[in-house]
Every structure is written in C-alpha cells, then in structure tokens.
Amino acid sequence: MRHGAHRLRAGVVAAVVLCAPAAARAQMSLQLQADPPEPAAGQPFRVVYTVALRGAADVHAQPLQVPRGLDVLMNPPPPQAPQMIGAGAFFTFRSSVTYVLRAARPGRYVIPGPRAVGNDGHVVVQGPPLTVNVTRTGGTSAQARQAPRDPFDDPFPNLLDPMEPPQPAQAPQRPTGPDVPPEGVLTGVTASAEGFVRVVTDLATPWVGQQVEYRAFVYVPAGEAGCEPLREATLDGFWSESLVEARQQCAARWLPQRVGSWDMTAGMVRRIALFPTHAGRLEIGSLKMGVEYIEGDGFFGRRHRVEMEAPRLVLEAREPPLEGRPPGYVPGTLGPIALRAEIDRAELPVGETATLRVHAQGNGYLGSVTLPAPRAVDGVRVLPGSSHAETDRSVAPLRSEVVNEYRIVADRAGRFTLPALRVPWFDPGTGRYAVGEVVLPVIVATGALRPPEDSEGPDLATQLAPLVREVPLASSPAFFTTALRVWGVLGAVPLAVLGAFAGTALRRALRVRRAAKESTARNDPQSLLAQADAALAGGDGVAALGLAARALERASRASGTSSEAKVAEARAACDGLRFAGAAVASDDVAAAVRAVRAVVEGRS
Amino acid sequence: MSVKAPALFFAAMLCASPAHAVNARELMTHALQAEGHGDLATAAHDLEELAAAGFDGDAVVYDLGTVYARAERYGEAVWCFERVLRRAPLAWEARQNLQATRVRLARRDAGRSGRAVVEQAVPLRVQVGELVPLGWSVALGVLGQLGVVLAVLRRRRGTSELARVGATVALVLSLCASLASLGLVVARRTLPAESVVLHGGLRLLQSARVDAIPDAPVREGERVVRVARDGMFTRVRTLGGASGWLDGAELGDL
C-alpha cells in the first residue's frame, strides 16, 4: 500500500517535470569497473566502461588508454551518449562497453581515468582512474561474482521512479582491495553524521625499518565527494613512500559503508608506506581535509562543505633484540635480502681500476641502510664509489634494490680473492637474525706498477715544511676580543683631538670673559666717565648721564672739595637732562658730561 | 680507633709519591722527539695537551697542524693552519703547509671516489676579512689618525710651499690608511662564524638527531658557516649552499 502511494507520488512529480520546459543543463559521469577486481596473472578479465548522462549534451567519450603490461584481447569503440535534443533532465541514459584485458605478470596496474571531450576538443568530463591489482592466484572478491549490469536490460532505470533509486534485489557483497576500509570497531576517528576522516595503520608496534601502511578514509553521507587537503599528516621519525599518485587529492572509488545507524560512503584519500627510522614512540600528525558533497539527490540536493580532522596516531617502534645479534648488524636492515655481485673486468693491469657492483634487494627501507663494504686484501685496494637505490612501488610490501659501486685497484700482480661479503639482517616474521652472503669475483692483476711520468723529483705541491723547533711557549695574544676594545682604541685619537679643540676654545672664551669682567669691575670716577663716553658714543644718552652722575657723586665724596657750587651746577645739569628722558639731545648730554669731567679733573 | 685513623692517614700521606707534573717545555721536547722517531700519534697527543693547557701560540698550532698532516689527519691539519693564518698572515710556512695539505686531501678523495675534486673559493668579503689580523688593522687605523693630525698641524705651520705640499700628501695618505683600516676592521668584525669539517665520510643530517636521515655529503677540511646550534648538533651551510646538521664534535671553530 505504501509502495503504491510512493509510486503514485513519483509519477505525479515526473509528469509535472515533463510538462515543464527542459532545463538546458546536463550531468555526465564516466566510470570504469574491473571484473573481477583482483584478477589472476595470465587470466583474462573484463573492464566495463560506462557513460551515464542526465540531460542533453554534445560530448564524445574517448577510447580507453590501456597501460603497458596489459594485453587487450577485445577493444570495442568507446561508449557514446545518445544525442537527444530536449530530453528531460530526469532521464538518465547509460551506455557501456566491455573491454577484455589480460596481465602477463602480477602487479599493480593503473588504467587512467576515461575522458569525454566536447565539440571544441576540450576535455569536459574525466572519470577516476581504475587500479587493478593482479595477483598470482586471483582474488576471491564478491564483486567478481557480481556480474556488471547489462545496460540493455534497463535503458531507462530512473524513468518510472526517478526520486527513489531501485533497491537491489540482494544485499551487496563486500568489496575487496587496498582502498576498502577495514571492518570492525571504528578506531582512529572522531565520528560525526556530517562526515569524518578515519586513519588506520596495519601495524601498531613495528620494528625499525619495517613497513607500516598508513591509510586515510573520508566518510560522507553522500555518494561521492570532492576533497581539498588543508593539512597533511606530519611523519617525523619515518621514511615515507606514497602509494597513490601524487596528484590524487581525493578518493578514486567510493564504497558504501554503514556506521551505526548512518548510511555513508567511504573513499580512500591517502595511502602511504612508512618505515620507522628509530625505536621509540613515534607520532603521525593529524590530517585535515575540507570535503564537499551533495546531500540528497544529485539534482535537487544541497551542497555541503565540512572540514574534517583525523586524530593523531601513535606507534611504538621496536629495536631488534640484542640477543643473537650478529656482529656488523646495522639497525633497520630487515630481511630477507638477496645479494649479487658483478665486476666489469676480472682481469686488469696493475694500478688500473675495476668497478665492482654489489646489488642488494630487500624491503623498501633498504635504500636508507648503510650496507657493509667489501674488505680489502693485501695487494688490492677497495675504494668506495657511488651508490643508488630504486624502490618498486608495484608490489606490496615495497621492495628496494640498492647498487653500491666500489673501485678495485691492484697494487701488484697476482690472483686475488676478496672475502665474501656478509650482510646481517633481521627477519620480522620469525624474530631471528640471519646473514646474507655473496661471493665476490676473483681478480687477476697483471703487469707491473707503472711509475708516474713526472716522477723525476719530489712533488713540491705536497711537500710539507718542517716543524718549528724553537717554539716560544706562550698563549696566543688576543687583546681585541670585544667590540668595545676595538672601537675604544680606534676612537682614542679622534677623541683626543676633539678634546684638545674643546679645551682651547674653552680657555679662549674664559679669557675674553675675564677681561670684560675686569674692565667693568673698576668703579672710580675716571672709569665711570670713560664708560659714560662709551655709552654716549653708542648713542645711549640716558646711560651716559647716569654714569656721569655716579662719577660726580663719587668725586664729591672724596675729601678736599673746593667748589661746592660747581658740583651742584654739574649735578643739576645732569639731573635736568635725565628727567627730560629720551628726548634729550646728544649735544646737551655731551656738554653735561664735559661739565662733570671738568669738576672731576679739577679736583683730581 | 679514633687515634688509629688519623695515624693511618698521615702515614699514607707521607708514603704517597708526589705527583709528577710535566712542564710545558718538557712536553714540547717530548713531542718533537716523538715526531723525530715517526711516532706521530704521540707527537699529536703532546701538542694537543700543550694547546689545551693554554700554550696555543702560532708555533705550537703550526707544529700540531704539520703533525696532523703527516698522520693523514687532513681535516684537523687544515683547521690548525687556517687558525695560524688568521692570526699571522705572513706565516709563509703555514700557508705552504695548508696548500700542501689541501692538495694531498684532494688527491686522496679523488683516488677514493674516482672523480676530480673541485674546491669552492671563499667569498671575497671573507677573504678581505682574513687579510690582516684585527690588531694590525687597529694599529694601522691609529697610525693613520695620528698621521692626519700631524699633517694638519704641519700644514698650518708650514712656511714654505714644499712643506705645505708634503703635508698635504701626508694628509691624503694618512686618510687613506685610516679608511682602509676602518674597512678591514668592519670586514673582520662581520666575518660569519666559520668552522672546518674535521673528519671525512660525513653527511649533513636533515634534523638534529643521532638517527636523522643523512643528506648531502661534506668533505673533510671543508669550510662551513655555522648557522644555528641545537644541543650537540650545529646547523651549517657549506660554500656550495647545502644546509644541514652536523655533530659539533666534527667541527673545528675558526
């Protein structure tokens, strides 16, 4: 009953939308799917290339690009979207073709994401790449049993019930592969209904140098999402190798997951191989991502952007045990290690150089370990040369090959056997040590050492002068150890010159001042009259009269006065002019001063 | 019991042989004798003791560097000769031995690696700073300043034209000497903190840890600039521009 009402409502909505004018927009997706997901080497497998188009668009899907190492057994033309002008936006058209491929050797193959181009030749849609793990025996995945849906069975899957996708007839089988989140208790996560990031490692207590696989998954309540890394996880104390493409920011595949009561999808965003470089507590920093997804239907849904942060992870790296450790063991050398040695020429003239290459194959950390060098024997010198390492990321766990070069120089003729090269390593599986060994090639040196062409005399360029026999035993004199001493000594002369200038100027100023003071200190009538003359010459008549009055007064105080009348007359003249103020004429002032002088000089 | 203990103590004090202190001259003589017998390790040890005791004059450091060079400890030899030349640029024997040590070191490295060794020249600013010791620069500066003062006085009191011209020339020369000494002092004072890598087979570390990931190699005897210090590790920059951490015990400060 309820199902019937649902259908009725969906039909009404579809009819309304069909009557409405079609919007000029389209949604297209390209998808690749391997069947089975983990095929066996040498066995054919299918890759289904699906194009889904909602709306109308004039685009063309491009042919599949098959990577090297995969044989194409069936190569159909790429699927094409139907050209339907005015098609409704709710119709989804799907078209798919099936390629049949075969891998000769096991490994990890990445088929680039399919692309569709528009009329102008530009890429308008690009799907995610497909990673196929080809094993030796083939995986027993559930998806292998789930045949890809034939598009001709239901060419219009959303026509009758566009609002609600049809439920699968049977429960989906659990997928497998490295990008599938582990089952069980949800660890390494702060769960949220809006989405979260989950980080997991496959080992909690690895040995130093042992590979730990770090994976980060984004869980969202939508079919897929876009990611933007905000902060990558810090990996202090680890040697790291990324196992996904460097340009991949988000998940290549989204898988349905049920977290409690939430229906979500999860996609792997990071996969890194980590190798602890030392023992102890090692921390993997938190990963922060901005994730954007559409909640609900892809057409009517609402766009959400959530910032997710994964918690930090702590690993406890262990040092291989001291018990039973062979001499010369370098921490981090984990086995098994395969050794091989080759020399470019086993027979060489004395004094010339042959190159010995030692190849070591081991785990992914081997490139960071210093391997022991071959030991020299009497008559043969072994000089270290270059070294390089390559890591093979197509296998799990990673494998590295280190090639160390050594220069072999024979100092005399003869047949020399270098001691076998022994490399101790630790097996994490058994917890025991073992020693890898490689027999080095025999070297035959012929001829005699050729003397240098220019050995006529001693090499002057390398001649050392003899020791000093008469050594004065004293410490190194170092006075100028501070900036104050340096600049103090350098500034002494300028400061002295400045001081001399300042002293001279000061002395001169004091002398002038003293002379002026002495000249004005005298207060006898003659001096006062002289000052009055000076004031009169300067045009200051009032001051001249004042000084003349003071001279007259001092003269009158003196004993032996003869003419009181003359004194009174001169005083009256001076006072009269002084009371007249500034308006007095200079000639009158001069006359008054002359009268005073006559009185003063007449008495003296 | 209380009487026995002090008695035993005094008896022990009387019986104990006095410590034999070797004076500096004896140590020097011993080092020279050891060098004469070819015992370079003993000679180097004695000279190191002398230098550690404070007798680190130019001659002692020069002898130590020469012994190091003969013992094929080239990095330490380069360090000693560089120190001597910083103090005494006119020590031609030290300059000759530094050159010979560098040639020997380059030949040894070339023989080991099979590649020619290219040495980086130090920057011009550093070369100017190392031209003369600081004391010489200061003395030149003081003399130049005195010359300026005397030339000015002479010029003012000069009666003849010849005396005035002579005083002017002396003034110009004194001013040049003063400015040159000022430049030398500034160059010397602003020299970067440099060290010499003492041992071979080292690589710069990416972080200041014992188990850090090794990076670019550094040559024995190479001059590096100290940038920072973190515990026992020193962050250095080579003349080629590579940076990284090294154990401080592997560096000899100049």
Side-chain angles (χ1 to χ4, degrees):
Chain A
M1 184 66 186
R2 189 180 171 190
H3 190 65
H6 225 100
R7 285 216 158 197
L8 182 61
R9 194 166 62 237
V12 170
V13 171
V16 169
V17 172
L18 278 171
C19 293
R25 57 185 294 185
Q27 196 172 6
M28 186 177 190
S29 67
L30 306 172
Q31 195 176 11
L32 295 177
Q33 193 174 16
D35 178 31
E38 290 187 2
Q43 295 296 321
F45 63 95
R46 294 192 295 171
V47 172
V48 181
Y49 182 176
T50 306
V51 174
L53 178 67
R54 186 193 293 261
D58 193 8
V59 292
H60 305 280
Q62 296 298 298
L64 197 65
Q65 295 175 4
V66 179
R68 210 167 47 176
L70 291 179
D71 301 328
V72 182
L73 304 181
M74 193 167 81
N75 192 10
Q80 295 299 331
Q83 307 295 316
M84 292 182 66
I85 305 302
F90 286 105
F91 292 101
T92 299
F93 298 98
R94 291 178 190 274
S95 174
S96 61
V97 295
T98 302
Y99 293 77
V100 178
L101 308 175
R102 183 176 59 194
R105 291 193 301 175
R108 187 166 169 271
Y109 299 91
V110 178
I111 301 174
R115 295 185 298 177
V117 297
N119 278 336
D120 54 355
H122 289 109
V123 176
V124 293
V125 183
Q126 181 164 9
L130 175 65
T131 303
V132 182
N133 285 312
V134 178
T135 61
R136 294 185 189 282
T137 58
T140 55
S141 75
Q143 282 192 351
R145 295 189 294 273
Q146 184 186 358
R149 191 177 55 79
D150 191 344
F152 296 102
D153 291 347
D154 184 8
F156 308 108
N158 294 334
L159 177 61
L160 296 178
D161 192 355
M163 300 299 291
E164 193 166 310
Q167 298 296 321
Q170 56 184 5
Q173 299 295 320
R174 175 174 166 68
T176 59
D179 54 349
V180 176
E183 289 184 327
V185 179
L186 207 63
T187 55
V189 68
T190 306
S192 164
E194 289 192 326
F196 52 86
V197 183
R198 180 188 181 192
V199 288
V200 293
T201 57
D202 57 348
L203 279 175
T205 56
W207 301 101
V208 173
Q210 189 178 10
Q211 179 173 331
V212 181
E213 200 168 298
Y214 167 86
R215 289 185 293 164
F217 299 93
V218 166
Y219 284 67
V220 290
E224 58 184 15
C227 311
E228 178 195 6
L230 301 177
R231 186 178 63 231
E232 296 290 347
T234 54
L235 303 171
D236 292 342
F238 293 100
W239 179 276
S240 62
E241 294 276 354
S242 178
L243 298 178
V244 294
E245 291 182 40
R247 59 186 175 83
Q248 181 181 329
Q249 302 287 339
C250 205
R253 188 162 70 134
W254 294 91
L255 300 167
Q257 294 282 305
R258 188 161 183 83
V259 181
S261 60
W262 305 328
D263 284 326
M264 309 184 95
T265 54
M268 189 183 70
V269 293
R270 292 289 179 275
R271 185 173 171 226
I272 306 171
L274 304 176
F275 300 91
T277 58
H278 61 89
R281 186 176 182 277
L282 300 176
E283 188 175 281
I284 303 172
S286 65
L287 170 70
K288 190 173 184 181
M289 300 204 85
V291 178
E292 198 170 272
Y293 58 87
I294 297 176
E295 193 179 45
D297 182 75
F299 196 72
F300 288 112
R302 208 152 48 93
R303 190 176 293 273
H304 274 270
R305 179 180 166 80
V306 184
E307 287 192 0
M308 307 172 177
E309 186 168 0
R312 291 174 295 182
L313 285 182
V314 175
L315 303 183
E316 194 69 37
R318 293 178 290 170
E319 181 90 19
L322 294 174
E323 186 182 352
R325 178 178 290 188
Y329 173 74
V330 179
T333 315
L334 302 185
I337 291 177
L339 294 168
R340 181 166 59 88
E342 60 185 18
I343 193 165
D344 61 344
R345 50 177 177 168
E347 189 173 331
L348 72 161
V350 172
E352 292 194 7
T353 304
T355 302
L356 172 69
R357 289 187 184 84
V358 177
H359 300 253
Q361 286 184 325
N363 77 337
Y365 188 63
L366 192 62
S368 304
V369 175
T370 304
L371 297 176
R375 282 182 292 139
V377 295
D378 183 32
V380 171
R381 284 180 288 153
V382 178
L383 308 174
S386 63
S387 172
H388 67 272
E390 284 185 4
T391 303
D392 183 6
R393 292 186 178 82
S394 64
V395 294
L398 301 186
R399 300 284 294 170
S400 282
E401 179 172 7
V402 180
V403 181
N404 289 338
E405 287 187 356
Y406 304 94
R407 316 285 179 205
I408 308 294
V409 183
D411 292 331
R412 57 180 169 82
R415 182 183 177 85
F416 302 99
T417 305
L418 294 175
L421 181 64
R422 294 162 59 85
V423 179
W425 48 269
F426 178 72
D427 188 352
T430 61
R432 291 182 178 175
Y433 288 97
V435 177
E437 189 172 303
V438 60
V439 176
L440 301 180
V442 175
I443 298 155
V444 178
T446 57
L449 188 63
R450 191 177 58 180
E453 292 174 356
D454 53 350
S455 62
E456 294 174 354
D459 188 357
L460 295 177
T462 58
Q463 283 292 309
L464 291 169
L467 269 64
V468 177
R469 299 283 164 182
E470 298 298 325
V471 176
L473 290 175
S475 60
S476 61
F479 175 74
F480 296 106
T481 52
T482 62
L484 181 65
R485 290 181 178 179
V486 172
W487 297 115
V489 172
L490 274 178
V493 174
L495 282 178
V497 171
L498 280 178
F501 272 117
T504 306
L506 185 65
R507 201 162 52 241
R508 190 172 296 167
L510 286 175
R511 193 184 303 147
V512 171
R513 190 175 170 191
R514 196 183 308 125
K517 197 172 179 182
E518 283 175 357
S519 65
T520 56
R522 293 162 62 185
N523 214 9
D524 56 314
Q526 292 293 344
S527 300
L528 289 172
L529 279 176
Q531 291 174 39
D533 288 341
L536 186 59
D540 191 355
V542 176
L545 288 170
L547 288 166
R550 283 176 61 193
L552 190 62
E553 187 181 347
R554 292 206 173 251
S556 64
R557 283 184 200 161
S559 58
T561 55
S562 57
S563 175
E564 287 295 334
K566 284 185 179 178
V567 171
E569 185 183 350
R571 180 177 294 132
C574 285
D575 289 346
L577 288 173
R578 285 171 70 189
F579 288 130
V584 67
S586 60
D587 293 343
D588 297 339
V589 175
V593 171
R594 273 198 303 274
V596 171
R597 184 182 301 278
V599 171
V600 171
E601 289 178 352
R603 283 173 184 171
S604 63
Chain B
M1 184 68 185
S2 59
V3 180
K4 277 184 182 173
L8 283 173
F9 174 74
F10 281 116
M13 289 292 289
L14 290 173
C15 292
S17 61
H20 179 65
V22 180
N23 65 31
R25 181 57 61 190
E26 287 179 14
L27 204 57
M28 188 71 218
T29 308
H30 188 251
L32 292 175
Q33 285 175 349
E35 191 270 342
H37 295 135
D39 187 0
L40 297 174
T42 304
H45 183 261
D46 291 345
L47 290 169
E48 283 170 357
E49 278 196 6
L50 263 180
F55 299 103
D56 57 347
D58 295 346
V60 172
V61 179
Y62 164 79
D63 280 356
L64 181 58
T66 307
V67 170
Y68 278 149
R70 289 188 181 162
E72 299 188 355
R73 294 163 69 175
Y74 295 129
E76 292 157 289
V78 167
W79 175 51
C80 290
F81 294 137
E82 293 271 15
R83 281 162 64 201
V84 171
L85 287 174
R86 275 206 171 192
R87 293 184 205 158
L90 300 182
W92 303 115
E93 291 183 334
R95 195 170 293 280
Q96 175 193 339
N97 282 6
L98 174 63
Q99 194 68 25
T101 305
R102 288 205 177 278
V103 171
R104 289 183 178 202
L105 183 60
R107 287 186 181 176
R108 192 196 67 183
D109 288 351
R112 283 181 177 176
S113 64
R115 298 187 185 91
V117 174
V118 180
E119 291 200 350
Q120 299 269 348
V122 294
L124 180 64
R125 189 168 60 90
V126 176
Q127 290 183 26
V128 172
E130 292 178 342
L131 208 55
V132 290
L134 202 53
W136 295 16
S137 304
V138 174
L140 180 66
V142 171
L143 287 176
Q145 291 166 359
L146 289 174
V148 168
V149 173
L150 292 175
V152 168
L153 291 176
R154 185 73 186 161
R155 195 167 179 275
R156 289 178 65 181
R157 294 177 184 172
T159 52
S160 66
E161 188 65 25
L162 186 62
R164 254 203 291 276
V165 169
T168 305
V169 171
L171 177 64
V172 170
L173 289 178
S174 302
L175 273 174
C176 289
S178 301
L179 291 176
S181 80
L182 197 66
L184 289 171
V185 167
V186 170
R188 183 77 172 207
R189 295 289 305 173
T190 55
L191 273 181
E194 287 190 308
S195 296
V196 173
V197 179
L198 297 179
H199 303 115
L202 296 176
R203 283 178 171 271
L204 296 174
L205 302 175
Q206 289 186 357
S207 56
R209 299 172 64 107
V210 177
D211 55 356
I213 296 170
D215 211 342
V218 282
R219 283 192 64 226
E220 183 178 357
E222 187 174 353
R223 283 172 75 156
V224 293
V225 176
R226 299 193 301 275
V227 179
R229 202 179 287 274
D230 183 0
M232 58 185 283
F233 288 93
T234 304
R235 184 168 180 79
V236 298
R237 188 180 63 245
T238 65
L239 293 175
S243 292
W245 295 90
L246 278 178
D247 190 344
E250 305 289 353
L251 297 173
D253 295 349
L254 289 177

